[in-house]
Amino acid sequence: MNPRNLAAMLSSLIAQLLLLITVIFPSSNPLSITNSSLSDFLTPLLLHFLSVSETSATLSLIPFSRCKRKRTYFSESDVPAGEGLTRFKLGRPDSFIRRNPDCFKKFFNINSSTFDWLCGLLEPLLECRDPVDSPLNLAAETRLGIGLFRLATGANFSDISRRFSVSESVAKFCFKQLCRVLCTNFRFWVGFLNSGELESVSNRFESISGIPNCCGVLCCVRFKVNDESIAAQLVVDSSSRIISIIAGFRGDKTDFQVLNSSTLFQDIEKGTIFRNSQGLEINGVVVPQFLVGNGDYPLLNWLMLPFDDPVSQSNEENFNNAINVMRLPSVIAVQSLRNWGVLREPIEGEIKTVVASIGACSILHNMLLSRDDYSAFCEDLNDYSSDKCKSSLNLGESKSVACSIRSALVTKATEFQSQKQ
């Protein structure tokens, strides 16, 4: 079988498997990218298929692209003085972009090697889903370039049409197709971690804060859509990787309302997530695996918050400082998401398209991290602020237990601060 057809078939099978899992473990939200509900026996099987698919998709480029067509490059003649890249054009390898790699970061939020890798990975899928009645005669590089240009710059489709010499309808199709392929076939890139990976994450958090058993940072971010906004809930690990994202909630909901409506909350409460958690005893208190957060969240057994108005140089202030250090990866992730132009400015369009854009940018964020490509990351984090958390909700006995857990963790944060001095 043709390698490209094999890669497309494997990717299609994976998409159907993920769809089946979604049916078995339904989500009430428009976008719920998490594999926390996968059973242990499905996970290695899924990862095996994904590995085979990625390899096949990459290898399929070697014989096919050389025999069937030339690669698409950016030609220097397409770049007016002072403007930069204007369009895709068939050209030679000694092209404008090859000599000016900064243009990839400017126009696509990725470097040139990541562009080539991503094109190889997505080519079978980008080229096999054209409209039946009017297939597009566009190379995978052009399709990927159009989609990435829209995501990275937020340019309108008339501008994209001019730059890439395609109609506006084709530009919209390529953009939506890229988002659909990423969110359907590669949503596993933002799946929740297994027990071994969570242990590694908690070890890294402890190494920078002194607080053990933390598995991630919970946060909620809002994006302007038309005259309203939508909320997206994220969980971020110690390396700024997004390990869970649920988007599509109304922006007027509080952070806690979003959390309470999410599958993440239900999965943790039911024990689906952290089910293999080994509690750590500190001063006679069993501390389970937990997340940290701030905003309109309650203090829970599995969600730790900073103290309100701690006394200066007190143990509580030490704890708050540790929480702020642990929250920094989530700040980096959120600001880097906003660095994608399509999410930076108010978005015009259907809610489902906006949700797909958020999902696609989150997946690309993790893909770039895996390749040590920081093109889309913000370099200036001066806007970071340690907003105080509201932990005064009355949750009765549950809050009492959570307070005991937080008090036990305070001692660890204080010990860590003393060792650094």
Side-chain angles (χ1 to χ4, degrees), residues 307 310-322:
F307 291 91
V311 176
S312 178
Q313 298 183 342
S314 65
N315 291 346
E316 287 77 10
E317 186 180 61
N318 289 335
F319 179 80
N320 283 11
N321 292 336

Side-chain angles (χ1 to χ4, degrees), residues 17 23 39 57 68 85 98 120 122 134 175 204 215 225 260 264 274 289 315 325 338 353 356 376 394 396 417:
L17 177 58
V23 173
S39 60
K68 296 295 182 181
L85 177 66
R98 297 283 181 186
L122 302 183
S134 57
F175 165 66
R204 288 196 295 271
C215 296
V225 182
N260 195 44
L264 176 73
F274 303 152
Q289 289 181 321
N315 291 346
V325 171
R338 292 192 181 280
T353 302
N394 184 13
Q417 292 293 329

Side-chain angles (χ1 to χ4, degrees), residues 191-244:
F192 212 85
L193 307 179
N194 60 41
S195 57
E197 292 170 323
L198 287 176
E199 182 179 358
S200 177
V201 169
S202 64
N203 288 339
R204 288 196 295 271
F205 272 125
E206 184 175 6
S207 69
I208 63 174
S209 68
I211 296 180
N213 256 15
C214 175
C215 296
V217 183
L218 177 68
C219 61
C220 194
V221 59
R222 288 162 181 79
F223 302 96
K224 294 182 180 179
V225 182
N226 302 321
D227 296 327
E228 303 176 351
S229 67
I230 63 173
Q233 177 180 277
L234 287 73
V235 178
V236 180
D237 74 3
S238 51
S239 63
S240 294
R241 177 177 45 168
I242 299 170
I243 60 177
S244 174

